[in-house]
Amino acid sequence: MSEHRRKAPQPQGGGRAAARRAAQQPAGRRSDASRRATSSSPSEVHGEEPSYGSRAEARRAAQRGGGRRRGGGDSSAHEGRGRGRVDSGKKRFVDYPRAGKYGYRRWVPSWKLVSGLCLGFLGLMMGVAGVAYALVVPPEVKNLATAQNNVYYWADDTQMVATGGSVNRQSIDYAQIPPAMRNAVISAENKSFETDRGIDPMGIARAFYNMARGGDTQGGSTITQQYVKNSMLTQDQTLSRKFKELFITLKVGETRSKREVMEGYLNVSYYGRGASGLQAAARAYYNKDATKLTTSECAFLATLLKGASYYDPAGAPEVDPVKASRKENTRRAKLRWSWILDEEVKDGKLSAAERATITKFPMPDEPKQDAKLGGQTGYLVDLATKYFLAHNTEGVTEKELARGGYEIHTTFEKKKVDELEKSIKKVYDAKISPEERPDKDTHVQFGGASVNTSTGAIVATYGGQDATQHYTNNADATGAQVGSTFKPFVLAAAMKYGKRNPEGAKEQGDSERTPVSPKSIYNGDNKLKIKTYDGGVWMNDDGKEWLQTNDGDESYGDISLRYAMQQSANSPYVQLGMDVGTDKVKEAAISAGLRDDNYMANANVPSFSIGTSSPSAIRMAGSYATFATSGKQREPFSVTEVQHDGAVIYQHKTETKSAFSSVVADNVTDVLKNVVEHGTGTPAKLAGRDAAGKTGTTDGNKSAWFVGYTPQLSTAVSMFRMDDDEKNKERKFLEMYGTGGEKSIHGASFPAQIWHDYMTEAVKGQKVVAFPKPEPFGETLYGGGAVSPTPTPSPTPTPSESSASPTPSATPSSPTPTPSETCQPLDWECRNNQNGGTTNGNGTEGNTGGTTDGGTDAGTTDGGTDTGTTEGTTEGTTEGDENERGGIFGGG
């Protein structure tokens, strides 16, 4: 560049005032001044700012090291100001936000600040921990192991029984605890017990590690921790309780000997069956003192400390009907029992030689009730206890309930409980004689339950002859199949969902499903070939055609669904279930109130529709109550309210669901009313009251039921025979041919008689209420091969012919009359108090034979026995009084 274009360097100076003015100038101007002050000399004068090519370059230079030089005087101040740095010259105790930093660096704390804060926090926590440790007082076991009774009340709030904690508690000294028990607990729960200080960090880490791997291991809590936790009055899973537990554990570990901790732990731990403490557990499971427990028995009792509900071989279905079943609990207990013994060998607490001799699992005794829980009381207490544990929202556990102090108000009505027991005892004493018929009358069992239809309250149950002798509650699920009492769910499904129409066979305007009327005609032949809804033949697992039989191998020909229910014919309802879909039948049963659990049978086979499921008497009574209330479903319940320490901790709230429309439910009720008035259920007929119900009998005559209801009360009664060895996990149902001196047992025999006797007394004093009159519903369909009649012209009948049966018509007259008004062609529900019977084959008109007295001795019970109704099984029609009309048009 030519010399004449260069500007002469500007003189420096101005003193401090100039420096301040320069610092106050905007950055752009300072940058320009800096460029103007650039010397032409390759070397810079000491104290002068270097020259930068641009403002950005100046900023970068300021960021790189404006603070490297910390010289004093005007030059230093000028340098800091020139590079954009501000230095107040004062040091702060906490340098945050950080001075001299810009952007995000200003907010990033220094390592000194972080470490200082951490040390301060740790110091504070140690101070708090020290104070907490000094103030905490370990609980005294002798004050916490006391128990109160639980008091159970009848529905009228009078006391039923007081039972609970004090019955099953007893502390023992360390010397009375078998060494084998101490060794088993240490090997299973806390291997470092004898050396740790109450808390085992390695054990906690090991528990987390094995948990992450999905393995089974001893818990992270030490015996001392569990002792402290079990000694507290509450089991709240809160942070404050955990915090308190930690410091109590540390204090106990320092102030109490291992002997005291072990003694306290085994004396307050809960072993299930209401047993708190080793001595109570030894009595509950093996009926012996703790000092006499064997090594094998000690190992089993140690398994219970992991959770009695899942390790007691008796099972705990109230906790989980699947995972806590007898079978699963037994399997689980055996595995852990064996594992504990092996761990003892590893820990040097049991010799390998002695371990080799312990091969048989020490199966404990069945649970026993005390004398106060004899008769029906024990069953009622058991039901109420299970219900409360399963439904309370306060998280009350079985362990806490065993401590006592609870007031449990039940739904049970003492008078009705006594009447149900009396009705069953009357039949048992009169008919069942194990001494006279040891091969027929042994192991006979009855079960029963009665439910208030409007609320779902369980007002009475019968669980067995004595809760202290027969431990299985027969009012609960026993595995007894319900047979034909399942058929109302098939009819309800057919009305609610409709019969499926085969693809390709639909007529124009047809919907996918057609609602089914109870007047629909189905083939009632014995050994009927069952078909799928689209016409294919159903094949069993062996590839053979499914042929459905009727009870007594009786054939009914083409009959209405109403009459099929009346006579309990199987083939029409099996085929109807296939036409509707057994999945829909299952949905209807669940909607009514049954559970989709282990007692619900496989719904993928035709026989599902005729009761291969085995719900409880309580569930059956509750589900029939849904029909009684025009389709409103309410869950059965046994507890109205629970109080503890004067406060209400549980209160039942009735929830109503709509299971079926009223027209569907009322039609089902009308069909079941007909069963009681004219069918297999006539032994249950109540004088002066509407009653509806259904008999049920299973293949092999292994169980029989009657389930029925009035508008206010629904009751189920079951009867079966089962091997009485309740320790046998493979108990089998036994045949009842010849039981009670009868050729066979049907729902119309003993169960219906018991139902009648009980209900007669149970409804005394109640207002007489009639069932709602059903409205016509659905279409009259033909299924299972039933032949639809073709209308044919016929001359006007002469007066002598007017009393004969009318000619079938293609469709019923409109509007469709109710059953009580008149008879229609093929209207089987009409005139059901008449004599007469069924057709013999498909499509016949039944006027070629028969007698005028078809109902004196030829009746059937539940499809073919000789002890039932006054309806005949002969065919044909008669002339004269229309009350004697029979045959295909007479309604039989």
Side-chain angles (χ1 to χ4, degrees):
M1 184 178 293
S2 61
E3 194 68 28
H4 69 273
R5 296 183 62 185
R6 295 180 182 175
K7 292 184 179 181
Q10 299 296 318
Q12 301 292 326
R16 297 183 180 178
R20 283 196 298 270
R21 286 193 299 272
Q24 293 170 356
Q25 290 179 352
R29 296 180 63 184
R30 288 200 305 271
S31 177
D32 293 341
S34 177
R35 283 195 299 272
R36 287 194 301 267
T38 303
S39 172
S40 60
S41 173
S43 60
E44 297 182 11
V45 180
H46 176 72
E48 291 182 348
E49 287 281 16
S51 175
Y52 302 110
S54 66
R55 296 182 182 180
E57 189 175 347
R59 285 196 298 272
R60 286 194 296 271
Q63 293 171 355
R64 278 196 302 269
R68 281 198 301 268
R69 290 179 295 178
R70 295 292 183 183
D74 294 342
S75 177
S76 176
H78 178 75
E79 180 183 353
R81 286 187 293 270
R83 297 187 183 184
R85 294 286 305 273
V86 178
D87 190 351
S88 66
K90 296 181 180 180
K91 291 188 176 181
R92 294 177 292 172
F93 180 75
V94 177
D95 185 20
Y96 193 81
R98 298 176 66 184
K101 298 293 183 181
Y102 297 90
Y104 74 90
R105 292 182 178 86
R106 178 176 173 82
W107 303 101
V108 176
S110 67
W111 67 270
K112 293 180 180 181
L113 180 60
V114 173
S115 59
L117 289 175
C118 290
L119 291 174
F121 178 75
L122 290 175
L124 178 63
M125 292 302 296
M126 291 178 65
V128 172
V131 173
Y133 180 80
L135 294 178
V136 74
V137 177
E140 293 294 332
V141 177
K142 63 182 180 181
N143 295 329
L144 298 177
T146 59
Q148 307 172 56
N149 283 326
N150 291 321
V151 184
Y152 292 79
Y153 294 89
W154 294 105
D156 61 0
D157 287 334
T158 58
Q159 183 172 313
M160 179 196 304
V161 66
T163 184
S166 60
V167 175
N168 208 15
R169 288 181 186 269
Q170 183 180 350
S171 296
I172 56 177
D173 297 331
Y174 182 83
Q176 295 175 283
I177 300 173
M181 187 66 194
R182 302 197 298 266
N183 292 337
V185 170
I186 291 173
S187 291
E189 302 290 327
N190 183 193
K191 292 178 181 294
S192 65
F193 170 72
E194 294 170 335
T195 58
D196 64 39
R197 293 174 176 259
I199 293 178
D200 180 16
M202 291 300 296
I204 296 174
R206 185 169 54 251
F208 274 111
Y209 175 72
N210 285 337
M211 186 186 303
R213 294 178 57 194
D216 186 18
T217 180
Q218 61 192 48
S221 297
T222 64
I223 287 176
T224 308
Q225 284 177 275
Q226 294 179 61
Y227 160 61
V228 169
K229 181 173 65 175
N230 293 339
S231 297
M232 289 185 173
L233 292 176
T234 67
Q235 298 291 313
D236 299 335
Q237 297 299 316
T238 61
L239 184 61
S240 61
R241 189 196 66 77
K242 292 284 187 181
F243 190 72
K244 186 177 180 181
E245 176 190 317
L246 173 65
F247 289 105
I248 292 177
T249 301
L250 292 171
K251 194 69 169 279
V252 168
E254 291 294 329
T255 60
R256 297 193 179 179
S257 67
K258 295 297 183 180
R259 290 169 60 100
E260 290 180 281
V261 172
M262 178 62 74
E263 176 187 317
Y265 173 61
L266 294 179
N267 274 327
V268 301
S269 294
Y270 184 68
Y271 296 80
R273 300 190 184 184
S276 291
L278 179 62
Q279 175 65 12
R283 282 290 178 187
Y285 288 91
Y286 294 109
N287 196 28
K288 61 173 65 175
D289 289 330
T291 56
K292 297 180 180 180
L293 291 169
T294 66
T295 300
S296 180
E297 291 168 345
C298 287
F300 165 72
L301 292 179
T303 68
L304 298 173
L305 298 174
K306 190 173 178 67
S309 297
Y310 292 94
Y311 288 88
D312 181 356
E318 69 277 6
V319 176
D320 190 320
V322 178
K323 295 182 179 179
S325 65
R326 294 174 71 100
K327 181 179 179 181
E328 280 299 301
N329 277 18
T330 301
R331 179 192 63 80
R332 201 178 289 117
K334 287 182 177 179
L335 288 175
R336 186 162 178 83
W337 164 79
S338 179
W339 175 80
I340 289 175
L341 291 173
D342 292 340
E343 289 298 304
E344 289 187 67
V345 174
K346 293 179 183 179
D347 299 338
K349 299 182 182 299
L350 180 67
S351 68
E354 184 179 358
R355 171 67 180 94
T357 64
I358 305 174
T359 57
K360 185 178 180 180
F361 179 72
M363 183 64 71
D365 299 337
E366 286 294 321
K368 292 181 174 60
Q369 303 281 7
D370 62 84
K372 292 185 293 184
L373 300 178
Q376 297 306 305
T377 304
Y379 300 122
L380 300 176
V381 167
D382 179 60
L383 281 174
T385 300
K386 289 179 178 178
Y387 184 87
F388 171 60
L389 290 174
H391 293 84
N392 81 88
T393 57
E394 296 294 320
V396 177
T397 64
E398 182 185 8
K399 184 188 300 183
E400 291 177 297
L401 189 63
R403 288 195 175 103
Y406 292 85
E407 292 185 7
I408 301 170
H409 296 260
T410 74
T411 60
F412 308 126
E413 298 180 21
K414 188 176 188 307
K415 181 181 178 181
K416 288 184 173 62
V417 171
D418 292 342
E419 288 296 342
L420 184 56
E421 183 178 27
K422 179 181 176 181
S423 300
I424 292 175
K425 190 174 186 300
K426 175 184 175 182
V427 168
Y428 193 95
D429 292 345
K431 297 292 185 178
I432 308 302
S433 179
E435 296 80 11
E436 182 181 346
R437 293 177 293 271
D439 60 332
K440 306 294 184 183
D441 287 10
T442 54
H443 313 314
V444 173
Q445 296 292 332
F446 291 94
S450 193
V451 172
N452 183 309
T453 59
S454 62
T455 64
I458 305 170
V459 297
T461 66
Y462 181 86
Q465 289 184 311
D466 194 318
T468 62
Q469 299 174 18
H470 174 75
Y471 310 121
T472 301
N473 189 340
N474 294 342
D476 213 338
T478 61
Q481 294 181 355
V482 296
S484 292
T485 58
F486 205 80
K487 289 175 183 173
F489 305 129
V490 184
L491 180 58
M495 298 180 73
K496 179 178 181 178
Y497 300 109
K499 176 183 177 181
R500 293 177 290 184
N501 295 322
E503 292 293 335
K506 298 179 183 178
E507 296 180 3
Q508 187 175 3
D510 281 352
S511 60
E512 183 180 353
R513 288 178 177 269
T514 304
V516 178
S517 167
K519 297 180 180 182
S520 296
I521 308 301
Y522 267 71
N523 190 339
D525 282 350
N526 187 52
K527 294 186 178 179
L528 180 69
K529 184 184 299 184
I530 299 300
K531 297 183 178 181
T532 58
Y533 81 96
D534 57 359
V537 177
W538 180 270
M539 312 295 283
N540 62 19
D541 292 339
D542 297 327
K544 297 181 180 179
E545 294 179 346
W546 187 291
L547 302 178
Q548 182 59 54
T549 60
N550 292 323
D551 191 24
D553 291 330
E554 185 163 358
S555 287
Y556 296 91
D558 291 354
I559 55 176
S560 71
L561 295 175
R562 182 183 179 88
Y563 185 75
M565 187 79 77
Q566 172 184 314
Q567 297 302 109
S568 200
N570 290 334
S571 50
Y573 277 92
V574 171
Q575 185 58 62
L576 178 64
M578 297 299 290
D579 291 345
V580 175
T582 49
D583 59 328
K584 295 300 183 183
V585 174
K586 180 178 178 180
E587 286 184 28
I590 293 172
S591 295
L594 299 190
R595 285 177 172 170
D596 188 8
D597 55 17
N598 286 347
Y599 299 101
M600 183 70 75
N602 178 13
N604 296 321
V605 294
S607 59
F608 176 76
S609 294
I610 52 173
T612 53
S613 298
S614 53
S616 68
I618 293 173
R619 284 283 154 186
M620 288 301 291
S623 62
Y624 270 48
T626 302
F627 298 127
T629 55
S630 296
K632 304 302 182 184
Q633 191 269 332
R634 301 174 180 92
E635 279 291 294
F637 68 101
S638 58
V639 177
T640 57
E641 182 179 280
V642 177
Q643 299 179 17
H644 187 249
D645 292 336
V648 176
I649 63 171
Y650 171 79
Q651 199 163 37
H652 173 77
K653 294 181 180 179
T654 297
E655 294 184 3
T656 302
K657 302 176 182 178
S658 181
F660 309 106
S661 65
S662 60
V663 66
V664 169
D666 292 344
N667 269 278
V668 173
T669 290
D670 189 61
V671 170
L672 296 182
K673 178 183 176 183
N674 178 64
V675 172
V676 172
E677 293 181 347
H678 310 296
T680 60
T682 52
K685 189 174 182 179
L686 299 177
R689 287 184 183 271
D690 275 1
K694 184 68 187 77
T695 54
T697 310
T698 59
D699 288 343
N701 207 217
K702 294 179 180 179
S703 63
W705 290 72
F706 187 83
V707 187
Y709 53 94
T710 65
Q712 301 105 321
L713 195 63
S714 179
T715 301
V717 177
S718 65
M719 178 180 178
F720 54 92
R721 288 182 67 211
M722 181 184 282
D723 180 5
D724 202 36
D725 181 8
E726 297 190 46
K727 291 185 180 180
N728 181 8
K729 305 303 183 296
E730 303 298 330
R731 298 172 67 194
K732 296 181 179 179
F733 287 89
L734 308 175
E735 294 179 344
M736 292 191 292
Y737 295 113
T739 297
E742 300 291 329
K743 181 179 179 180
S744 59
I745 300 298
H746 288 78
S749 55
F750 299 153
Q753 180 182 339
I754 291 169
W755 190 93
H756 170 271
D757 293 348
Y758 162 71
M759 290 290 283
T760 298
E761 296 299 322
V763 299
K764 272 187 178 179
Q766 292 186 355
K767 182 180 178 181
V768 176
V769 180
F771 288 124
K773 188 176 181 180
E775 298 177 3
F777 181 86
E779 297 186 22
T780 302
L781 306 178
Y782 292 80
V787 178
S788 176
T790 302
T792 56
S794 60
T796 303
T798 63
S800 62
E801 296 173 332
S802 61
S803 60
S805 303
T807 303
S809 59
T811 58
S813 59
S814 179
T816 304
T818 60
S820 61
E821 292 174 343
T822 185
C823 295
Q824 292 294 322
L826 292 174
D827 190 356
W828 289 96
E829 76 275 18
C830 188
R831 303 296 184 185
N832 283 299
N833 62 341
Q834 302 152 7
N835 300 325
T838 69
T839 64
N840 186 13
N842 295 340
T844 64
E845 297 187 358
N847 58 358
T848 60
T851 68
T852 62
D853 187 15
T856 56
D857 297 312
T860 65
T861 61
D862 202 13
T865 69
D866 56 2
T867 60
T869 72
T870 59
E871 279 68 53
T873 57
T874 62
E875 59 227 326
T877 63
T878 63
E879 296 183 0
D881 187 351
E882 67 176 1
N883 285 335
E884 293 182 350
R885 290 169 56 196
I888 191 169
F889 299 117

